[in-house]
Amino acid sequence: MARDYIIHTPDEIARIRVAAAMAGKARDRIAEFVRPGMSTKELDMVAGEVIHSMGGKCAFLGYHGYPGNICISVNDEVVHGIGVPDRFILKGDIVSLDVGVEYEGGIGDTARTVYVGDGPVPSNVQKLLDVTREALEAGMNAALPGNYIRDISAAIEKVAKRNGIGVVRDFVGHGCGTKLHEPPEVPNYVTPRRGPLLQPGMVLAIEPMFNLGTYKVFVRPNRWTVCTCDGEYSAHFEHMVLITNEQPEVLTRA
């Protein structure tokens, strides 16, 4: 039976650290380019240039046939949005940037959602962004040796429930390190399964995906882009953490 978690070697961790740090820097640099009027394809091309300028490769490009450099998901798009030339970013949109970087055998995977525009953020949108970020921090704080995956899930779900926010169930966090997706899965809600014990050397991508409305989602005919069933906004934040003997090390915090 295959092991449901991976303990990375010190050499692997060193390479993962570098790739994850690059991904964090690339994520924030790409976010600076987001502006009203640009197409999502233009943003995707910018993202590719940013990642390549750092010496990295776009970890998502070609992954199971994925056609983009990064994932760009706008408004009701939850994850896996593809940059296209006829989708323009508008003032008042929220744009989720999911960035993957491969560098010398290590992988970095991280995401953030940004509001587009210089005016005040609508209160419901601000709440969605704040609650999703808060849940990510809560999940990471629970990533302690001796805890289980379900402790991370419970910490994330607690924040959502307290704030009346929908938690996406069809897509979850995951192990990440020398491959983009490694065991174990890291759900953002409590499941009957406890999941593996957290041990030093495990690397997890923790990524709450929260919706203003229902948790239910569907996949568009392009077979990639995931959207909310009710058309409400969705936010996505993601960090990679290394489980240590003490507090988790956040690898993608720029």
Side-chain angles (χ1 to χ4, degrees), residues 190-209:
V190 175
T191 73
R193 192 166 176 271
R194 184 172 64 177
L197 179 73
L198 302 183
Q199 303 171 59
M202 294 171 67
V203 181
L204 305 174
I206 300 173
E207 50 177 325
M209 291 157 268

Side-chain angles (χ1 to χ4, degrees), residues 35-206:
R35 68 180 191 280
M38 75 185 311
S39 72
T40 55
K41 179 64 174 179
E42 181 184 355
L43 181 58
D44 186 70
M45 297 301 291
V46 167
E49 291 171 5
V50 167
I51 291 169
H52 291 139
S53 73
M54 301 171 76
K57 294 180 181 178
C58 299
F60 299 166
L61 183 61
Y63 183 76
H64 294 306
Y66 184 75
N69 291 312
I70 65 170
C71 298
I72 303 169
S73 305
V74 182
N75 295 340
D76 63 325
E77 297 172 347
V78 181
V79 285
H80 306 159
I82 301 168
V84 291
D86 58 351
R87 176 67 185 269
F88 295 94
I89 296 170
L90 305 175
K91 190 176 291 188
D93 284 347
I94 60 171
V95 181
S96 295
L97 307 168
D98 193 353
V99 177
V101 174
E102 179 184 352
Y103 181 76
E104 294 188 351
I107 299 286
D109 186 9
T110 182
R112 62 179 283 197
T113 302
V114 298
Y115 176 78
V116 182
D118 49 13
V121 183
S123 59
N124 62 335
V125 174
Q126 187 66 63
K127 176 181 178 180
L128 175 66
L129 298 177
D130 290 346
V131 170
T132 312
R133 269 192 300 258
E134 180 186 345
L136 173 56
E137 294 294 331
M140 293 192 297
N141 289 339
L144 299 169
N147 275 355
Y148 289 84
I149 290 293
R150 191 163 60 191
D151 293 306
I152 297 174
S153 304
I156 292 171
E157 185 180 49
K158 182 178 180 181
V159 175
K161 281 188 170 181
R162 186 171 67 237
N163 289 279
I165 294 289
V167 181
V168 173
R169 291 171 170 256
D170 294 22
F171 297 85
V172 298
H174 52 91
C176 183
T178 55
K179 295 180 180 177
L180 184 57
H181 288 95
E182 298 174 347
E185 290 190 340
V186 186
N188 296 310
Y189 62 100
V190 175
T191 73
R193 192 166 176 271
R194 184 172 64 177
L197 179 73
L198 302 183
Q199 303 171 59
M202 294 171 67
V203 181
L204 305 174
I206 300 173

